C-alpha cells in the first residue's frame, strides 16, 4: 500500500504522480506492468505539512500512533519540495535525514521524489529508475545475475569518512549470494579503525554461521583510507577463523592514476576496450573495464567513458590464485555486480558491493539512532 507525504498545496503533484504510477507516462510503463507489483493507495494515510521546517514534527506525531495491517507492506512516497542541490542547506539536509530515519525506525520503506521533476517533460526517463528502486526496497529482485547458483558468499565491505556527522567513519558489510541476490547488511559507526575491524570481523563470522554450507567467502573491499588506518582492518580479514577459503579483492577507482588501456583494433576509433575486458598489470593486480561498449558497433556516449577499476586479489590460501579460471570468475563477479545497481537501469563502473556501502555512508551517520534496526538490516532502504 502506498501513501503520500507532501507540502500543502502540492496535491496536483500527488495526482500527477498517481497517474504516472497507474498508467505510465510517455514510453515509461506503470507500476503493475513494469515491475509487476500489485498495489493500492491508502489515501486516508496521506500526510501534508505546512512548511519544510515542521515536516518532521507533523509526520512524527501521526506515524508513531498508526497501527499497520498484518501482512501488508507499506511504501511512503515523499514528494519533497527540496531538490537534490538544495539539500546542501544544513536545515534542509537535517530534515531530509530525520524523515528517512523516522520512516526506517517505524518500519516503512520510502521513496523520495523531488516535486519539480514530476512535471518535467523528461519525467518518463526518471520513472523506470524510481520504480526499480521501489521494487528493491519492497524486497523484490528487479534482475539478478545469470549465474549458476553456488555455495559461496560475497561480502562487500566499505569504509568512508563522513563530514559533519556524529561519527567520522562508517563501515558496512553487505552480503550477497553468487547470483547477486541481496541477503542482508550491517553498518557500524566507529571511532577508530580497530573498532571498525572488530565489527567487520563479527559480521563476517556471523554470516558464515548462517551459511554453513558455503564453500568460499569472497570479500570486496574498497580502500578509501591510509595504509596505517587500513592495516588493522586487513589484519582482521586475513586472520578470520573460518574453515573455508577467504579471498579478498581490494577494488579501487583509477580516475587519479595514469593506468589505462586502449583497443587499437576498434574500427569506430573509440579505442575503448569491450565492457568486461580485464588486463593484468602486476602480480595479482588487474584492471577491469566497466563501460557501455558491449559490441563492435556500440557508440558510447560521453557519460559512458568510465575509468576502469583496479583490482588486487589476495587469499588465506594463496595457491588458489594460481588458477586462471578462478581469477576469471572472481573478476567476472566484480563486473557482474556492477550491473546490479537497483537505483538506476544504467551500467555502473563500480560493483554494488562497493557502491552500496558508500551510499549508506552518506546517510546513516546522520541518523539519530546509532544502531540499525533489524528491519534496516534486511532491506535496501537507502536506494
Amino acid at each position: 500500500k502506498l501513501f503520500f507525504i507532501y507540502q500543502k498545496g502540492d496535491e496536483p503533484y500527488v495526482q500527477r504522480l498517481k497517474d504516472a504510477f497507474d498508467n505510465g507516462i510517455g514510453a515509461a510503463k506503470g507500476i503493475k506492468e513494469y515491475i509487476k507489483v500489485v498495489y493500492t493507495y491508502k489515501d486516508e494515510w496521506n500526510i501534508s505539512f505546512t512548511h519544510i521546517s515542521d515536516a518532521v514534527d507533523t509526520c512524527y506525531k501521526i506515524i508513531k500512533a498508526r497501527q499497520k495491517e498484518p501482512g501488508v507492506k507499506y511504501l511512503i512516497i515523499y514528494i519533497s519540495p527540496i531538490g537534490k542541490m538544495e539539500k546542501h542547506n544544513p536545515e534542509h539536509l537535517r530534515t531530509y535525514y530525520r524523515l528517512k530515519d523516522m520512516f526506517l525506525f517505524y518500519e516503512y520503506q520510502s521513496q523520495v521524489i523531488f516535486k519539480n521533476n514530476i512535471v518535467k517533460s523528461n519525467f518518463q526517463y526518471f520513472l523506470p529508475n524510481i520504480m526499480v528502486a521501489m521494487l528493491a526496497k519492497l524486497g523484490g529482485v528487479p534482475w539478478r545475475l545469470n549465474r549458476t547458483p553456488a555455495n559461496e558468499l560475497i561480502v562487500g565491505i566499505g569504509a568512508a569518512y563522513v563530514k559533519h556527522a556524529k561519527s567520522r567513519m562508517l563501515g558496512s558489510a553487505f552480503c550477497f549470494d553468487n547470483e547477486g541476490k541481496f541477503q542482508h547488511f550491517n553498518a557500524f559507526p566507529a571511532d577508530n579503525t580497530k573498532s571498525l575491524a572488530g565489527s567487520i570481523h563479527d559480521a563476517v563470522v556471523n554470516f558464515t554461521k548462517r551459511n554453513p554450507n558455503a564453500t568460499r567467502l569472497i570479500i570486496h573491499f574498497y580502500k578509501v583510507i591510509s595504509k596505517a588506518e587500513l592495516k588493522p582492518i586487513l589484519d582482521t580479514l586475513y586472520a578470520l577463523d573460518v574453515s573455508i577459503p577467504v579471498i579478498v579483492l581490494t577494488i579501487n577507482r583509477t580516475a587519479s592514476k595514469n593506468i589505462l588501456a586502449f583497443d587499437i583494433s576498434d574500427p569506430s576509433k573509440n579505442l575503448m576496450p569491450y565492457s568486461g575486458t580485464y588486463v593484468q598489470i602486476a602480480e595479482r593486480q588487474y584492471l577491469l573495464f566497466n563501460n557501455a561498449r558491449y559490441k563492435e558497433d556500440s557508440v558510447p556516449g560521453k557519460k559512458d567513458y568510465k575509468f576502469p577499476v583496479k583490482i588486487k586479489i589476495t587469499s588465506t590460501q594463496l595457491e588458489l590464485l594460481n588458477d586462471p579460471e578462478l581469477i576469471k570468475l572472481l573478476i567476472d563477479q566484480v563486473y557482474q555486480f556492477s550491473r546490479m545497481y537497483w537505483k538506476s537501469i544504467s551500467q555502473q563502473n563500480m560493483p554494488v558491493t562497493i557502491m552500496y556501502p558508500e551510499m549508506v555512508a552518506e546517510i546513516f551517520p546522520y541518523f539519530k539512532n546509532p544502531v540499525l534496526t533489524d528491519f534496516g538490516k534486511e532491506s535496501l532502504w537507502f536506494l
Side-chain angles (χ1 to χ4, degrees):
K1 292 191 176 181
L2 311 181
F3 66 96
F4 295 81
I5 294 177
Y6 56 91
Q7 187 166 301
K8 289 180 180 178
D10 287 344
E11 288 81 3
Y13 295 92
V14 174
Q15 189 55 52
R16 190 179 180 95
L17 192 55
K18 276 187 177 183
D19 291 342
F21 283 167
D22 293 343
N23 307 309
I25 182 171
K29 300 175 182 179
I31 288 177
K32 288 182 181 178
E33 188 176 0
Y34 189 58
I35 59 174
K36 316 300 182 187
V37 170
V38 178
Y39 67 98
T40 58
Y41 297 113
K42 199 166 180 64
D43 287 336
E44 64 270 26
W45 275 25
N46 289 353
I47 301 172
S48 61
F49 51 88
T50 56
H51 188 268
I52 189 68
S53 61
D54 67 5
V56 174
D57 288 342
T58 300
C59 292
Y60 174 71
K61 290 174 183 177
I62 297 173
I63 286 180
K64 73 171 183 177
R66 283 189 169 162
Q67 297 295 318
K68 297 179 183 175
E69 301 169 48
V72 174
K73 289 188 177 183
Y74 292 89
L75 179 69
I76 295 171
I77 307 297
Y78 170 43
I79 299 180
S80 173
I82 306 301
K84 188 174 182 180
M85 298 308 295
E86 296 175 80
K87 285 191 304 189
H88 292 293
N89 177 303
E91 180 184 350
H92 294 162
L93 190 66
R94 185 162 50 249
T95 298
Y96 174 81
Y97 289 126
R98 285 292 305 281
L99 287 171
K100 293 286 286 187
D101 189 11
M102 184 198 312
F103 300 154
L104 192 61
F105 181 79
Y106 286 105
E107 299 188 355
Y108 291 95
Q109 295 297 344
S110 62
Q111 181 68 39
V112 180
I113 303 174
F114 178 39
K115 72 173 187 178
N116 287 354
N117 287 341
I118 299 171
V119 295
K120 286 183 176 179
S121 59
N122 63 346
F123 186 62
Q124 61 178 311
Y125 302 113
F126 288 74
L127 199 56
N129 294 338
I130 291 169
M131 291 191 288
V132 164
M134 289 167 58
L135 176 59
K137 290 172 183 178
L138 291 169
V141 180
W143 56 82
R144 67 173 180 84
L145 300 184
N146 185 19
R147 291 295 178 268
T148 302
N151 288 324
E152 63 183 11
L153 319 174
I154 297 95
V155 181
I157 295 176
Y161 286 117
V162 184
K163 295 180 180 179
H164 313 302
K166 293 175 294 185
S167 174
R168 288 288 293 170
M169 176 173 285
L170 183 99
S172 54
F174 276 75
C175 303
F176 300 85
D177 65 18
N178 81 309
E179 296 175 86
K181 292 180 182 176
F182 167 71
Q183 304 290 312
H184 69 100
F185 83 101
N186 205 350
F188 319 103
D191 295 323
N192 56 59
T193 51
K194 288 185 178 179
S195 61
L196 175 61
S199 297
I200 291 172
H201 175 274
D202 292 343
V204 173
V205 170
N206 290 338
F207 191 64
T208 55
K209 287 180 180 178
R210 290 175 58 172
N211 297 268
N213 296 321
T215 56
R216 185 162 53 207
L217 172 62
I218 300 168
I219 297 174
H220 291 177
F221 190 78
Y222 182 37
K223 185 175 67 175
V224 295
I225 52 182
S226 70
K227 290 183 179 180
E229 293 166 319
L230 183 66
K231 188 176 186 302
I233 297 174
L234 291 181
D235 287 347
T236 298
L237 293 176
Y238 298 151
L240 279 171
D241 186 20
V242 292
S243 58
I244 58 176
V246 179
I247 301 175
V248 179
L249 286 78
T250 302
I251 303 170
N252 293 312
R253 291 185 174 91
T254 58
S256 61
K257 306 291 184 181
N258 293 321
I259 306 174
L260 296 172
F262 300 93
D263 181 1
I264 58 175
S265 65
D266 178 7
S268 61
K269 304 305 179 185
N270 286 312
L271 302 179
M272 180 188 290
Y274 283 114
S275 190
T277 299
Y278 69 91
V279 294
Q280 186 168 1
I281 56 175
E283 184 179 16
R284 296 195 291 274
Q285 293 186 40
Y286 303 85
L287 209 59
L288 169 65
F289 293 84
N290 285 355
N291 54 57
R293 187 188 174 211
Y294 304 112
K295 51 188 179 180
E296 186 173 313
D297 59 352
S298 294
V299 183
K302 290 183 179 180
K303 67 182 181 65
D304 298 319
Y305 279 84
K306 301 180 184 296
F307 280 92
V309 294
K310 185 176 171 183
I311 302 171
K312 182 178 181 180
I313 307 177
T314 189
S315 173
T316 53
Q317 299 178 21
L318 283 176
E319 65 276 10
L320 294 175
L321 303 183
N322 295 327
D323 180 2
E325 288 302 311
L326 176 59
I327 297 298
K328 181 179 179 180
L329 182 148
L330 294 171
I331 296 177
D332 179 65
Q333 280 183 341
V334 175
Y335 176 67
Q336 294 296 335
F337 271 101
S338 71
R339 293 167 169 258
M340 297 299 295
Y341 187 61
W342 289 341
K343 194 175 180 178
S344 169
I345 59 176
S346 299
Q347 165 94 31
Q348 307 298 308
N349 79 321
M350 291 291 283
V352 296
T353 45
I354 301 303
M355 294 185 73
Y356 283 178
E358 286 185 347
M359 293 168 69
V360 173
E362 292 177 358
I363 302 174
F364 183 63
Y366 294 91
F367 282 7
K368 185 176 180 180
N369 189 347
V371 179
L372 266 180
T373 63
D374 289 340
F375 179 79
K377 295 175 184 177
E378 304 296 331
S379 68
L380 300 171
W381 51 266
F382 51 86
L383 291 177

